[in-house]
Amino acid sequence: MSSPQHSAAASRYRSLLSPLDLGPFEVRNRIVMGSMHTGLEDDPSDAKKLAAYLGERARGGVGLIVTGGFSPDRSGRLTPRGSQADARTLRAHELITREVHEADGRIVLQLLHAGRYAFHPLSASPSGGKSPLSPFRSRRLTRGGVQRTIDHFAEAARRAVDAGYDGVEIMGSEGYLLNQFLAPATNHRRDRWGRTSEGRRAVPLAIAAAVRDAIGDDALLSYRISLLDLVPEGQTWTETTALAQSLVRAGVDVLSTGIGWHEARVPTIVTSVPRAAFAEQTQHLRELVGVPVVASNRIHDPDVAEQVLASGQADLISMARPLLADPQLPNKLADGRAGQVLACISCNQACLDKVFDGKRASCLVNPRAAHETELVLTPVIERRIRKVAVVGAGPAGLEAALAAAERGHIVTLYEATDEIGGQLRLAARIPGKEDYAQALQSWRMRLAAAGVGIRLGMRPTATELQGFHDVIVATGVAPREIALERSGGPEVISYADLLEGRAEAGEKVAIIGAGGIGVDVAEYLTAPRPSPTLDVGRWREHWGVVDADSTRGGVITRPREEARREVHLLQRKETRIGAGLGRTTGWVHRAELRHAGVIQHRGVTYERIDEAGLHITEDGEARVLDVDTVVVCAGQVSVNALADEVIAERRGRAPRVHVIGGADVAAELDAERAIRQAVQVAAGL
């Protein structure tokens, strides 16, 4: 008999948690763990780690898992040593499929040919040429090469099913090979694989038919279809729907939607993209095909996912990064613990940025992701339970307190202010980063559920901490001050005072420091109000997203908008402003700065401030910036004096002192490093 709590949860997420018949089998809910490369796919010797990673998501209750992409042949690998669905690899994957099936899960292998996106000299594409994402020029596939590629997809699909996979997904989105065949921008062929829209879709259809024949009717065939290419000379909506209907006739069971090519100059998955921004396109497709359709891209909030399903916009929801963040997400929804879901903030810092740098992915808010066999939080036996004080409730302190409590320790969390969050709380006030507040709310709920004692507005002394076995100092950072001669002139404020609302900026502003915080402050001062992130229509207009039948690819040049302020962004370094930002998100911030007309200064020396303004030297010449406000974003300094005070005060064996996060290293405020360090310390208590 179900509990009232479980029944209420089932009612709240009735659509999301209901089973669905996908043809060959039924899935237990509508939550799909979408394809996401972690780096564990590339070497068959990592199969055990990949099995632990995917198995934990299956035990967490996800309905269907889609693996990271595996190429059908060497030419289609993303990197020289990238993942390939060859015989050796898929023999090792029997461990993965067994792990998922033992948890009553379902899993399909994604087949992905990189085409011109491949980062190696063997790359091949419909018409040859070089993409913006690779230094290698791809060769043009011959007619024989096209047929061999079709055969390779079929052979790889057959091997996947033999290895225990419940089916395969064909990657036809994001600008990879099949998407390249579909778009006039990249398919200039004059044979039967090009020339007309029918010719351009012939290769994807031939591959779908060959794969269907190879895997039989008892395995699932999913196709990842691009609904909006968001590149000039991409597909029209009419072409996209014609492809979708033809794919269904070719035997595809499920259409999983994708948005935008990797080279598109429109963001599609970062935090500043509105939630469910592309669900309307999914609904239009669903109305034209007779198979289940999966919605994707920034559907991270379970309530938003439920709304998308309940309104008939989709049949399933793809949640890739949210399940990286919280593998127990489906179970928590079913058990009435939605408030405890660890919220993905779409930052990309530890997942996609790592993958694009050739490193293993993880998750900023869950450093155990893809490291399940290495970072283990083992429950403590009763005689080893310790009393732990965590001082500072920024991201590092929050996660240290939570991880220690979940292991079974008795934890008290102290925070000198009246709110948790630290620097993350400030970041949540930047337009486009509103979702950061959701992460803080989930920390509050999880801390309460774990039994952590929270003391807000308290700054414990070294003496008061002597009764604990361990003291974790997570007191964070303070804004770095700069020594500048001043004689009147513009008001000088710190970024913290600005974002906390203790100070305001005028109409003409100079920002000293162009690291991540300086860029955030520039956007805070120039972004349209209200934030386009909170309004899909305004966001589409802001980025030039239009109907794909009116303009091929569904994108136009961004319209100019009236500047809110005159803002100067200055840095000492000669390098490009924003060069240190994330690999997959930095370009978005740089584009916003350009769009807002932010004036950028590099190689600057700061001289003095007086009634004339901010005096600087730039390119060897003296200049004066006539501004009324100077915002200092010149870095941070660690606040960690408490650690020395506790050590000086202690008597006997207790307490042990651990310094983590910004209190340990303040350089470039790295929340990923801080949270990982917090969990590692908690794992070692």
Side-chain angles (χ1 to χ4, degrees), residues 347-597:
C347 67
N348 290 358
Q349 291 179 33
C351 53
L352 294 178
D353 284 352
K354 295 292 186 184
V355 170
F356 276 91
D357 281 335
K359 301 174 183 176
R360 195 195 315 181
S362 188
C363 176
L364 182 141
V365 296
N366 175 22
R368 290 192 63 251
H371 294 73
E372 286 78 10
T373 61
E374 297 143 287
L375 185 51
V376 182
L377 294 175
T378 307
V380 293
I381 58 177
E382 186 174 355
R383 63 187 178 85
R384 293 189 179 275
I385 293 175
R386 302 176 69 83
K387 289 179 62 180
V388 180
V390 180
V391 185
L398 292 170
E399 199 56 38
L402 185 64
E406 288 179 340
R407 289 193 62 210
H409 296 299
I410 301 168
V411 182
T412 303
L413 175 63
Y414 295 93
E415 169 55 40
T417 70
D418 293 330
E419 296 183 72
I420 68 170
Q423 296 289 315
L424 194 67
R425 180 166 51 83
L426 298 184
R429 297 177 180 175
I430 306 300
K433 292 188 175 182
E434 291 85 355
D435 273 10
Y436 286 26
Q438 187 178 14
L440 293 176
Q441 179 60 24
S442 73
W443 258 310
R444 291 186 189 96
M445 300 293 287
R446 289 182 295 130
L447 288 167
V452 174
I454 303 177
R455 307 287 185 266
L456 296 178
M458 291 186 64
R459 193 187 304 271
T461 66
T463 301
E464 292 168 336
L465 294 170
Q466 294 305 306
F468 291 91
H469 296 107
D470 290 87
V471 174
I472 299 177
V473 177
T475 41
V477 299
R480 184 187 301 277
E481 297 181 359
I482 60 172
L484 268 180
E485 179 186 338
R486 292 186 58 192
S487 55
E491 182 181 11
V492 180
I493 62 177
S494 74
Y495 71 85
D497 286 342
L498 175 68
L499 298 178
E500 291 276 19
R502 294 188 294 265
E504 294 184 2
E507 294 302 309
K508 295 190 291 184
V509 183
I511 301 171
I512 293 180
I517 292 177
V519 170
D520 273 355
V521 168
E523 292 191 50
Y524 176 80
L525 293 172
T526 59
R529 296 291 197 275
S531 169
T533 300
L534 306 179
D535 185 319
V536 173
R538 291 191 69 241
W539 179 87
R540 290 171 70 100
E541 183 179 354
H542 182 69
W543 281 96
V545 178
V546 297
D547 180 78
D549 263 343
S550 66
T551 303
R552 274 196 173 276
V555 63
I556 61 174
T557 302
R558 296 178 68 181
R560 296 299 303 174
E561 298 172 8
E562 184 177 349
R564 292 183 59 220
R565 283 185 174 91
E566 177 186 313
V567 174
H568 299 262
L569 184 57
L570 305 95
Q571 71 177 19
R572 294 182 184 276
K573 298 177 182 177
E574 295 280 0
T575 55
R576 178 180 61 169
I577 284 180
L581 299 176
R583 180 79 173 269
T584 61
T585 57
W587 72 268
V588 180
H589 297 295
R590 290 190 291 270
E592 290 286 53
L593 295 180
R594 290 192 300 270
H595 191 64

Side-chain angles (χ1 to χ4, degrees), residues 76-135:
R77 291 181 179 184
L78 282 164
T79 64
R81 298 181 181 274
S83 54
Q84 182 179 336
D86 54 23
R88 174 172 171 256
T89 296
L90 290 177
R91 279 196 301 271
H93 279 216
E94 293 176 5
L95 172 66
I96 296 168
T97 57
R98 184 166 62 248
E99 183 92 4
V100 171
H101 291 150
E102 286 176 354
D104 295 324
R106 294 287 189 175
I107 183 168
V108 298
L109 181 100
Q110 187 185 80
L111 294 174
L112 181 157
H113 191 298
R116 68 200 271 270
Y117 281 174
F119 205 83
H120 56 73
L122 298 179
S123 63
S125 61
S127 299
K130 185 176 173 297
S131 84
L133 305 186
S134 173

Side-chain angles (χ1 to χ4, degrees), residues 108-111 156-157 160-161 166-170 211 215 220-222:
V108 298
L109 181 100
Q110 187 185 80
L111 294 174
V161 172
D166 297 297
V168 297
E169 177 172 277
I170 299 170
V211 168
I215 64 177
L220 185 76
L221 176 54
S222 173

Side-chain angles (χ1 to χ4, degrees), residues 619-652:
D619 294 330
E621 295 185 8
R623 293 190 59 187
V624 181
L625 301 182
D626 177 19
V627 296
D628 45 39
T629 311
V630 175
V631 183
V632 179
C633 303
Q636 300 78 30
V637 293
S638 296
V639 177
N640 54 22
L642 181 63
D644 292 334
E645 293 169 7
V646 173
I647 292 172
E649 182 78 15
R650 68 184 180 186
R651 302 290 184 270

Side-chain angles (χ1 to χ4, degrees), residues 143-156:
R143 281 175 290 182
V146 171
Q147 186 58 55
R148 284 191 294 274
T149 300
I150 295 169
D151 295 341
H152 293 161
F153 267 91
E155 293 161 5

